[in-house]
Amino acid sequence: MPVTEALFRDDAYLAETDATVLAVTDDGGIVLDRTIFYATSGGQPGDIGSLTRDDGTVVPIATTVTGETKEDIIHVPAEGAPELSVGDHVHLAIDMERRLKLMRMHTACHLLTTFCQFPVTGAAVSVDDSRVDFDMQGETITKEEATDKLMALVRADHPVFIRMIGEDELAANPSLVKSKNVRPRTGTGQIRLVCIGEDAMVDSQPCGGTHVRSTGEIGEIHIGKIEKKGRENRRLRLRFGPLEG
């Protein structure tokens, strides 16, 4: 499958751009030479939006997924959408309001792992209710305590930035990987780290998702519920807005 330049990796705030159709899959998926659409991966859902051809034809995009590898980015048209052809020039626009909520949530999930320092056993990001699962090994935390710690990091307005390291550096620093079961994709020679705080003093971990530029952009957020999932696993659910008493 043709390689797509993933513009969102360098600029998560890029809401529109132009591209050319490189391929159309057997089931109608659209592959472009470049894209701002994030494809479902790492617990973050794929972007939605539209592709508009030069003649004004609009193709709504219902989701974005990966193909055989995570480098294969496929834009899935809504049911009944007009078809595109190889060589068509299109204008891309994502649902930026939805993307920004996902970016805020995803960054908040990273913050949660800075004080819940237990192996992460699962995670899922959504616009309304996200979750991070921890193997807490008998330890406990209340939603009030977790919310206070989370909001302290939000109010500190720490910078969030990307740093690339070599696979050898990751191998020498295994604690950078917080997931218990999922390892970062290797083979390219480079690992993408999402860093929080000056000189990454708050956090640094491999991640291919999209995030805000500073923790202050997350806004008011709280732990809505802590669920018991098995003997050791605890699921912390994040929701926007203040914690209600």
Side-chain angles (χ1 to χ4, degrees):
M1 184 174 290
V3 176
T4 301
E5 182 184 3
L7 301 178
F8 56 81
R9 289 181 183 149
D10 294 322
D11 185 359
Y13 292 81
L14 188 60
E16 299 186 35
T17 195
D18 296 311
T20 301
V21 177
L22 293 182
V24 178
T25 66
D26 292 341
D27 53 1
I30 300 163
V31 180
L32 305 171
D33 64 336
R34 60 208 304 260
T35 190
I36 52 177
F37 284 72
Y38 180 83
T40 302
S41 181
Q44 180 176 330
D47 282 320
I48 63 175
S50 64
L51 309 181
T52 303
R53 204 164 54 192
D54 288 346
D55 64 3
T57 300
V58 177
V59 179
I61 298 301
T63 188
T64 312
V65 299
T66 56
E68 293 184 4
T69 75
K70 288 189 177 182
E71 298 303 310
D72 300 330
I73 299 175
I74 302 172
H75 308 75
V76 181
E79 187 174 353
E83 296 181 0
L84 293 178
S85 301
V86 172
D88 282 346
H89 296 277
V90 289
H91 182 75
L92 288 62
I94 61 173
D95 182 337
M96 198 59 190
E97 182 178 354
R98 176 177 178 271
R99 161 72 81 78
L100 284 171
K101 287 181 179 178
L102 293 171
M103 289 162 60
R104 291 163 60 202
M105 275 288 195
H106 199 152
T107 309
C109 288
H110 281 242
L111 292 182
L112 194 54
T113 69
T114 66
F115 57 85
C116 284
Q117 297 181 352
F118 307 97
V120 175
T121 57
V125 180
S126 77
V127 296
D128 298 315
D129 184 309
S130 300
R131 66 171 174 84
V132 183
D133 301 343
F134 296 95
D135 180 356
M136 296 190 72
Q137 305 163 18
E139 298 292 329
T140 60
I141 190 170
T142 68
K143 63 182 184 180
E144 291 80 12
E145 290 170 336
T147 296
D148 287 345
K149 292 177 182 293
L150 190 58
M151 282 306 303
L153 291 165
V154 170
R155 295 189 183 103
D157 199 22
H158 294 290
V160 182
F161 60 96
I162 303 300
R163 183 166 74 91
M164 303 300 292
I165 63 171
E167 293 179 8
D168 55 345
E169 186 174 345
L170 179 67
N173 295 275
S175 62
L176 289 173
V177 180
K178 299 189 178 185
S179 174
K180 184 175 182 178
N181 303 313
V182 180
R183 312 301 295 178
R185 182 178 59 86
T186 57
T188 64
Q190 292 285 300
I191 301 294
R192 182 181 190 260
L193 294 183
V194 174
C195 304
I196 302 176
E198 296 293 340
D199 297 321
M201 62 178 291
V202 175
D203 190 43
S204 182
Q205 60 180 289
C207 185
T210 59
H211 309 80
V212 290
R213 294 190 184 103
S214 69
T215 62
E217 291 184 47
I218 295 170
E220 196 80 39
I221 198 165
H222 67 279
I223 303 301
K225 184 184 295 187
I226 298 178
E227 301 170 330
K228 188 174 182 179
K229 296 292 181 180
R231 189 175 65 180
E232 305 291 353
N233 278 282
R234 299 294 181 270
R235 174 169 292 175
L236 277 67
R237 291 195 170 277
L238 297 92
R239 296 168 184 165
F240 287 126
L243 177 65
E244 297 180 0

